[in-house]
Amino acid sequence: MKTKIILDVDPGHDDAVAMLVAAKHEKLDLRGITVVAGNQVLEKTLRNALNVCSFAGIDVPVYAGQDRPLFRDQVVADDIHGETGLDGPEFPESTRQPEDKSAVDFIIEECLKYDKELVLVPTGPLTNIALALLKEPRIKQGIKEIVLMGGAYGLGNHTPSAEFNIFVDPEAAHIVFESGLPITMVGLDLTHQAKAYPEVVERIAQIGSPVADLVVELLKFFGYTYKRVFNFDAPPLHDVCAVAHVIDPTLIKTQKVPVIVETTRGACYGRTVCDFYFRTGKPANVDVALELDQERFWDLVIDTLKKY
Ligand code: BDR
Ligand code: CA
């Protein structure tokens, strides 16, 4: 049976590839794409999501979500994703429009339909998910688990302590992490094992379809900024790892430990504090992603892209 998911994105180069994989993999039933402000302001992340759907023929409803974090001032990642949030490729005029309903209301309505069946896959800041939980706590009944890209037990990327998605809305992340729902945190420790090296890019280029060419262009820009900002030898496809984990949980090794989101506004604001030695006495609330089977991950991604 297919797994029902909602993909909550802020595209974003890696979000765009996550959308392409989630929409085409036969094991997933993508119920909707919800968009949040993150890598860029909402107007831009929404436009990017619609452009990707229109270009790739992804026939899934798209919902506009929150345009700012719950409490803090807005932060964007233009240094990584550019002025548009998806710099690099030129998209033809989009034929797609967002639905009238808000992302938060869609998440609520969809969750209330099911009994522990729906997997939420947020690959941006957790604002939409937190707000849905606050507005209608009964949605928990419909959620099987939340598999999110965010956080790190090691170094951060937006600050030395914090990963971008969590840093953008730490209070929202706190609400989600303390919700009592099963959570898998696919953080930087894992996603930095998913670097798209030239051999991978070449395999994608070999597919020779418009969608594969789009991915190659996305990776070119993403690779350039990752080199400039982090001196990485290849760009990591963070968000795709979360989708891949839902498709095949054997790709990623995890360990369940207590995780606390730091919401004090100091040098560690937005840090995901992972208690591997169980020193806090808190119950283990999060499956933290540790190790990626890289070969099988890329096979899955490339085989899925071949279906376009
Ligand atoms: C995360 O931040 C964004 O820039 C990426 O899309 C990814 O979701 C990595 O820290
Ligand atoms: Ca993202």
Side-chain angles (χ1 to χ4, degrees), residues 142-170:
I143 301 172
K144 184 178 168 208
E145 57 171 332
I146 299 178
V147 178
L148 63 95
M149 190 284 133
Y153 61 78
L155 295 175
N157 60 358
H158 197 78
T159 73
S161 320
E163 181 279 329
F164 178 77
N165 288 340
I166 307 295
F167 184 76
V168 171
D169 201 341

Side-chain angles (χ1 to χ4, degrees), residues 9-12 14-15 39 123-124 165 239:
V9 293
D10 64 333
D14 50 335
D15 300 81
N39 285 321
T123 63
N165 288 340
D239 297 342

